[in-house]
Amino acid sequence: MKTYQVVGIGNAIVDVLTRADDSFLDHMGIEKGIMQLVERERAETLYGAMEARVQAPGGSVANTLAGLGNLGLRTGFVGRVKDDALGRFYAAEMEKIGTDFLNAPKAGGELPTSRSMIFVSPDGERSMNTYLGISAELGPDDVPDAVGGTAEIVFLEGYLFDKDKGKDAFGALARGCRAAGGLAGIAISDPFCVERHREDFLRLIEHDLDYVIGNEAEIRALFQNDDLEADLAAVSAICPLVVCTRSGDGVTIIREGARTDVPVKKVVPVDATGAGDQFAAGFLYGLATGRDMETCGRMGHAAAGEVISHMGPRPEASLPALFRAEGLI
């Protein structure tokens, strides 16, 4: 038995959430419903404008690991934080949910710990304003020696692809995992990131990965067209397992040529933050425990449904209890 069932690598970001209506977003110049990067000064301005803040460790893959920890899997996380108040908070909170924080907070005069100011509208849309800080500097030196070989599954975060050293860290962890008989995969994360690094994404998917998870826009961005069916065929030709979330239309899963479409029950979200992250948690739980693809998809939907029922990107209820209630375990 390996030390970890899932090891994730991604941005270590403190999420700061508050509610805000459309007039507030307009007043502050915040574009609704998207993630945009901000500089340090803008981050401080937005933070100061937030009322009734809720603070939690975040980052896409880290949120997925929180869901997997809720489900009882053995997990580890590779991320970069500074040895400051927010960085120590982040590392401690990850350990508290049962995920080993595999590289210590960095001392010295580096950039501050990353944070994302998230404004949640009455309709559940989230407008994310992210200051990347030290997290964007993650590189291969942050990947502990041989950690890839200790994991049954490695999960990579596409947002880190914007710097070469992030790509190098990905490659090192993925190759170490696969060399030891594990599975490596990625959450594409953002179509704009794909557009900036399309060839590198495709090269990684074809040569170093066993699975890829993305939404419709992210899958289409890989091939620069609007023909989703053709794009699904193209990516499944270079990767054994492709998972495409389709919002209210459910999820399409293609594993070695066999297609499974899993519908989803449509609901109005309280807060859509973390829906994709928790879908990944449910799906990876199914994959790690040997479930069939339909059950993996249903587990993903159930975990996503839980997180959109409340504020915040991580589950509050017991996911095992929810899965049992739905006949999944």
Side-chain angles (χ1 to χ4, degrees):
M1 184 174 66
K2 293 192 176 184
T3 305
Y4 301 109
Q5 288 164 289
V6 180
V7 167
I9 179 171
N11 281 306
I13 300 174
V14 177
D15 285 335
V16 187
L17 297 97
T18 193
R19 294 191 179 277
D21 58 23
D22 289 353
S23 62
F24 176 88
L25 299 181
D26 290 341
H27 176 70
M28 297 299 296
I30 297 168
E31 189 169 350
K32 183 177 179 179
I34 68 165
M35 192 284 288
Q36 55 188 347
L37 299 179
V38 298
E39 297 299 325
R40 187 172 181 176
E41 182 177 353
R42 171 69 167 166
E44 291 172 350
T45 298
L46 293 176
Y47 184 86
M50 301 177 88
E51 297 181 358
R53 296 184 292 257
V54 176
Q55 183 172 289
S60 179
V61 163
N63 289 337
T64 296
L65 291 173
L68 290 169
N70 183 294
L71 285 160
L73 295 197
R74 304 182 307 278
T75 57
F77 178 65
V78 178
R80 189 177 179 93
V81 298
K82 186 177 180 179
D83 188 11
D84 56 14
L86 280 180
R88 291 187 293 273
F89 162 79
Y90 191 98
E93 289 296 307
M94 291 298 287
E95 295 282 350
K96 190 182 297 183
I97 63 169
T99 294
D100 289 347
F101 196 83
L102 297 175
N103 47 326
K106 304 294 180 182
E110 296 192 68
L111 295 169
T113 294
S114 310
R115 71 289 310 268
S116 181
M117 281 64 63
I118 303 171
F119 298 87
V120 183
S121 307
D123 60 3
E125 281 285 352
R126 81 274 196 209
S127 307
M128 305 171 67
N129 300 264
T130 303
Y131 169 62
L132 289 178
I134 194 175
S135 184
E137 301 303 313
L138 186 142
D141 290 344
D142 294 302
V143 180
D145 292 343
V147 70
T150 69
E152 296 174 12
I153 296 173
V154 157
F155 189 43
L156 315 174
E157 182 178 316
Y159 285 128
L160 278 177
F161 240 59
D162 270 325
K163 293 198 175 182
D164 287 341
K165 53 189 174 182
K167 298 174 190 176
D168 292 342
F170 275 9
L173 190 58
R175 288 189 293 272
C177 176
R178 299 182 86 202
L183 300 176
I186 193 169
I188 297 176
S189 300
D190 179 33
F192 301 110
C193 189
V194 173
E195 290 170 7
R196 292 190 293 271
H197 306 281
R198 183 173 292 105
E199 294 306 316
D200 287 337
F201 264 106
L202 289 171
R203 189 178 302 111
L204 181 79
I205 290 168
E206 182 172 7
H207 297 293
D208 291 315
L209 300 184
D210 302 289
Y211 66 92
V212 59
I213 301 174
N215 62 29
E216 293 178 79
E218 292 158 359
I219 295 295
R220 286 199 303 267
L222 287 169
F223 300 99
Q224 295 179 282
N225 65 56
D226 290 326
D227 187 343
L228 180 63
E229 292 301 319
D231 294 339
L232 286 170
V235 70
S236 63
I238 62 172
C239 188
L241 175 56
V242 178
V243 183
C244 179
T245 57
R246 308 176 72 170
S247 190
D249 293 325
V251 61
T252 294
I253 304 166
I254 303 175
R255 188 175 200 179
E256 298 187 353
R259 176 168 176 155
T260 304
D261 290 293
V262 185
V264 65
K265 179 181 178 181
K266 296 181 181 181
V267 298
V268 177
V270 173
D271 171 19
T273 308
D277 304 336
Q278 295 313 317
F279 174 86
F283 183 86
L284 290 176
Y285 174 80
L287 188 64
T289 55
R291 266 60 173 196
D292 62 79
M293 291 297 97
E294 180 179 359
T295 302
C296 289
R298 291 178 61 201
M299 287 176 165
H301 288 329
E306 191 285 334
V307 83
I308 66 174
S309 70
H310 57 76
M311 285 280 286
R314 299 186 172 189
E316 294 181 350
S318 165
L319 293 181
L322 177 61
F323 285 9
R324 282 191 293 271
E326 298 197 10
L328 297 172
I329 57 175

